[in-house]
Amino acid sequence: MLRGRQDKDNIHNEWCFFLEPAILFYYACTLAVGQGLLSNWEIAMLQLDNRILSRVRLRGRQSGSSASLSRRQFLAGGAAGLAAFGVIADRAHARGLRTRLNRQKKALRFSPRAVALDPNILALIDRATFGFSQATYDEVFAIGQDNWIEEQLDWGLIDDSVLDTMLTAYPTLMMSSQEIYAAYQMNQDVPQFDLWYATLLRFVHSKRQLHGRMVEFWTDHFNVDIQDGLEWAFKTADDRDVIQTYALTTFPQLLNASARSAAMLWYLDNYTNQVGHAQENYAREVMELHTMGVDGGYSQADVEEVARCLTGWTIRNQPNFGEFVYVPQFHDTGSKTVLGNDIPARTAAAGEQDGQDVLDILATHPSTAGFISRKLCVHFLGYDPPEDIVESVKATYLSTGGDIKAMLRVILNAPVLTNLATPKFKRPMHLVVSLLRATDATITDPLGPLYMALLMGHFPFYWPTPDGYPDKLESWATSALPRWQWCTWLFDGSLAQYVDVDPDALIAAEGGNAPGEQANAINRILTGGRFPPSDVAILQDFYDNAIDNDQFAIWDTFGLAASLPSYQWY
């Protein structure tokens, strides 16, 4: 696909050939489901894929278009099947659609850059945002790195009115769990898709980028699977009132909010935890995954005692369905011992304090400080962060009572980022969002980019186990084909119904129309000029040797650039 073409007449055949492995993969998955060869999570991903395609077909019927293929036709129909999703197999058609869309396209903010960008600022943007954009670089350059970090940490004061206007299209975002449950029992997809769409738009468009990176981190840390029972009604409030509200406060505050969230109470079954019938799921995971870590020093006896302390912590039914409530008659009133700490016997009416004592013990435990500090360093600095930095962050946690802002100041210190951060492979959502940010893309329908993330195996709130989506290289390094497809389709107009990027205008705005300047311009647009010279040479040679030095060559050169390891890593 990404090469100079001998004959434009072969374009459609080449496109179908490029898609064939994906179609075969889906067909194989369908057969594997029938034979019991897929895990529950893989089956769930295929079910979500079907829900998205159903949504596309519904939109096609509503708009009077022909995009109404069945899933069977999609699996059997090659490129024509993906056209039902809005992937345009005829590139000349794609170019015509883009031309029509661009008649009303906003003016690009790019302008040719004559000087090299500051590598310290670029390093900060890499780690503290979802990817380079010229607009973000200009913000940091204007006020300085330290001031920008402080501004990001005080995220509530940042004007995000443009994003807020976008989010008004999704009314369930501000609803309570009770309201969502009452209004959408017969159409449970609505609150889920609202939340998925809002998540993508926040990551791409929000000026509160560091807050977004922490929301991403805590969402995985306190993972809740939206496909689990009533989570379709509970997860919106959990995202809004727990993760987003407390993402940059203190860890004890966040832990307390999560423990009382209906989404977490439901997901880890503590809503059923009663005296005489202790439910240990949350008790175990709150120590293993949320606080101390699997090697943090707790025992099975501690798990049992924590479960006893949390008896009676459940979900209100009526009124105010979905709110936390403590039910005294469900509580174990006896004395307990947790991690060597004695918790005295209390009356049933006072028993909620047992659970609060547990959360306080866990939040202040040195193992928790170490576990959270290491995870934060992995998130921002690399898969194997320096031990002295981890220890410094841990010391900050202990001295500040788990102040998240204080820990981030240590991690985002300029010398640390510039000298100690090591490369990380972009997880699929990170890759999707970083390209949209770098190109100042116009997202007309978030469904398209989200579907591409789904093909790569990374979809918001959809990880089935309590450990959250992994932050490990080996978990993501095998999704090459859909990653390349995303990088190609974004630039050649195949997804123009969902997201519009104009490579020709980007090149022109960056001064890349002069002979031999195309690769340099693409380098500046996507990375701020950080591709190694060898990659720039590869890109320019690819463009220069394309048979047709027109839009096709530019489109494919952008796609090749985004597919390079230099862009797939950060």
Side-chain angles (χ1 to χ4, degrees):
M1 180 66 184
L2 295 174
R3 55 177 174 80
R5 288 182 178 74
Q6 302 295 322
D7 188 349
K8 278 189 178 179
D9 292 337
N10 291 329
I11 291 171
H12 189 271
N13 290 335
E14 290 181 1
W15 186 253
C16 292
F17 176 78
F18 181 68
L19 294 177
E20 189 174 79
I23 301 303
L24 291 175
F25 169 75
Y26 280 113
Y27 185 65
C29 284
T30 303
L31 293 177
V33 170
Q35 298 174 15
L37 300 178
L38 294 186
S39 68
N40 291 336
W41 178 75
E42 290 166 328
I43 293 172
M45 293 296 277
L46 288 173
Q47 290 170 339
L48 176 59
D49 168 54
N50 190 56
R51 290 167 63 192
I52 291 177
L53 290 173
S54 298
R55 201 173 181 89
V56 171
R57 291 196 296 272
L58 175 62
R59 291 182 181 180
R61 290 193 294 271
Q62 291 173 338
S63 65
S65 76
S66 60
S68 58
L69 296 181
S70 68
R71 181 168 180 80
R72 182 181 299 275
Q73 290 170 314
F74 173 82
L75 290 169
L82 280 173
F85 172 67
V87 175
I88 302 169
D90 184 333
R91 288 161 64 90
H93 182 195
R95 176 165 55 182
L97 177 60
R98 169 176 287 141
T99 300
R100 293 194 298 274
L101 291 172
N102 284 346
R103 289 172 184 166
Q104 297 179 335
K105 185 173 176 63
K106 63 188 177 184
L108 292 170
R109 294 196 293 266
F110 294 99
S111 59
R113 295 184 278 277
V115 296
L117 302 188
D118 186 333
N120 294 318
I121 294 179
L122 293 173
L124 174 62
I125 290 173
D126 269 350
R127 306 301 166 137
T129 78
F130 286 100
F132 170 80
S133 77
Q134 184 60 39
T136 301
Y137 180 91
D138 292 343
E139 291 175 7
V140 182
F141 184 81
I143 64 175
Q145 289 177 249
D146 291 343
N147 289 333
W148 184 83
I149 291 171
E150 290 304 316
E151 184 179 86
Q152 289 288 307
L153 292 175
D154 202 2
W155 63 278
L157 298 180
I158 299 173
D159 180 7
D160 228 358
S161 54
V162 173
L163 171 67
D164 292 340
T165 299
M166 295 180 186
L167 298 184
T168 58
Y170 312 112
T172 63
L173 296 179
M174 299 309 296
M175 288 184 177
S176 68
S177 296
Q178 167 74 46
E179 291 169 330
I180 291 174
Y181 183 78
Y184 294 102
Q185 289 187 60
M186 302 305 295
N187 196 359
Q188 297 172 12
D189 274 358
V190 171
Q192 295 179 71
F193 275 92
D194 280 2
L195 186 55
W196 288 327
Y197 291 173
T199 298
L200 177 75
L201 293 175
R202 286 183 179 119
F203 286 177
V204 175
H205 293 298
S206 178
K207 293 183 178 298
R208 302 162 176 173
Q209 282 287 298
L210 181 55
H211 177 259
R213 288 280 280 149
M214 290 306 299
V215 166
E216 175 195 36
F217 176 82
W218 294 124
T219 296
D220 284 333
H221 186 80
F222 293 102
N223 183 59
V224 167
D225 177 12
I226 202 170
Q227 63 187 312
D228 181 26
L230 287 171
E231 295 298 358
W232 66 269
F234 292 153
K235 182 55 189 172
T236 296
D238 180 76
D239 179 70
R240 179 189 64 230
D241 301 334
V242 177
I243 304 298
Q244 293 197 50
T245 297
Y246 294 100
L248 283 169
T249 56
T250 70
F251 183 76
Q253 287 176 287
L254 180 55
L255 176 66
N256 273 270
S258 175
R260 291 174 170 85
S261 166
M264 187 62 71
L265 289 163
W266 175 272
Y267 181 52
L268 293 180
D269 303 312
N270 203 80
Y271 75 100
T272 68
N273 191 10
Q274 301 181 27
V275 59
H277 302 281
Q279 167 53 253
E280 296 176 5
N281 283 359
Y282 180 72
R284 178 174 292 102
E285 305 301 1
V286 74
M287 289 192 283
E288 177 180 336
L289 297 176
H290 298 172
T291 57
M292 299 174 67
V294 67
D295 299 318
Y298 65 90
S299 66
Q300 175 58 28
D302 290 315
V303 172
E304 295 169 3
E305 294 291 87
V306 168
R308 291 180 60 212
C309 290
L310 291 168
T311 48
W313 286 44
T314 189
I315 302 169
R316 185 183 300 278
N317 190 355
Q318 295 293 340
N320 301 321
F321 173 67
E323 292 185 0
F324 167 79
V325 64
Y326 169 71
V327 180
Q329 58 266 37
F330 292 168
H331 186 66
D332 182 333
T333 59
S335 61
K336 299 99 175 171
T337 301
V338 174
L339 297 169
N341 296 275
D342 293 329
I343 296 177
R346 291 185 171 106
T347 65
E352 183 181 349
Q353 186 61 41
D354 289 2
Q356 186 59 57
D357 287 349
V358 164
L359 295 177
D360 292 343
I361 291 167
L362 294 177
T364 57
H365 198 282
S367 292
T368 299
F371 182 64
I372 298 301
S373 297
R374 182 170 300 280
K375 284 193 71 171
L376 282 171
C377 288
V378 169
H379 185 64
F380 285 104
L381 298 180
Y383 299 116
D384 188 20
E387 285 300 319
D388 58 335
I389 299 300
V390 174
E391 287 300 316
S392 181
V393 177
K394 177 181 176 180
T396 301
Y397 181 109
L398 293 171
S399 66
T400 63
D403 188 303
I404 298 167
K405 294 179 181 180
M407 291 186 283
L408 290 180
R409 289 188 183 100
V410 176
I411 295 171
L412 298 178
N413 179 273
V416 172
L417 287 180
T418 303
N419 300 313
L420 298 178
T422 55
K424 292 191 68 177
F425 193 64
K426 292 179 181 177
R427 299 196 302 178
M429 274 294 288
H430 196 147
L431 175 64
V432 167
V433 172
S434 64
L435 266 183
L436 297 174
R437 283 176 50 77
T439 56
D440 199 24
T442 299
I443 303 172
T444 54
D445 187 341
L447 186 66
L450 283 170
Y451 187 71
M452 296 308 300
L454 170 66
L455 292 183
M456 301 178 219
H458 194 197
F459 201 82
F461 320 116
Y462 223 72
W463 188 253
T465 53
D467 52 348
Y469 278 107
D471 192 6
K472 300 176 181 178
L473 173 61
E474 57 268 24
S475 300
W476 304 109
T478 59
S479 58
L481 176 61
R483 294 174 79 96
W484 294 338
Q485 288 172 329
W486 162 246
C487 295
T488 303
W489 294 347
L490 179 66
F491 291 106
D492 69 11
S494 298
L495 296 172
Q497 291 175 255
Y498 301 93
V499 57
D500 186 41
V501 172
D502 190 344
D504 309 304
L506 291 172
I507 285 288
E510 190 53 51
N513 285 329
E517 283 300 312
Q518 288 76 23
N520 285 323
I522 291 171
N523 184 19
R524 293 192 295 269
I525 292 166
L526 295 186
T527 73
R530 284 174 293 163
F531 280 152
S534 58
D535 281 358
V536 176
I538 289 171
L539 293 173
Q540 192 61 50
D541 181 71
F542 174 84
Y543 177 84
D544 290 342
N545 286 285
I547 299 302
D548 303 304
N549 291 117
D550 61 2
Q551 285 103 329
F552 284 4
I554 286 293
W555 299 355
D556 283 351
T557 307
F558 262 105
L560 176 59
S563 301
L564 291 171
S566 301
Y567 192 78
Q568 300 276 319
W569 291 72
Y570 70 102

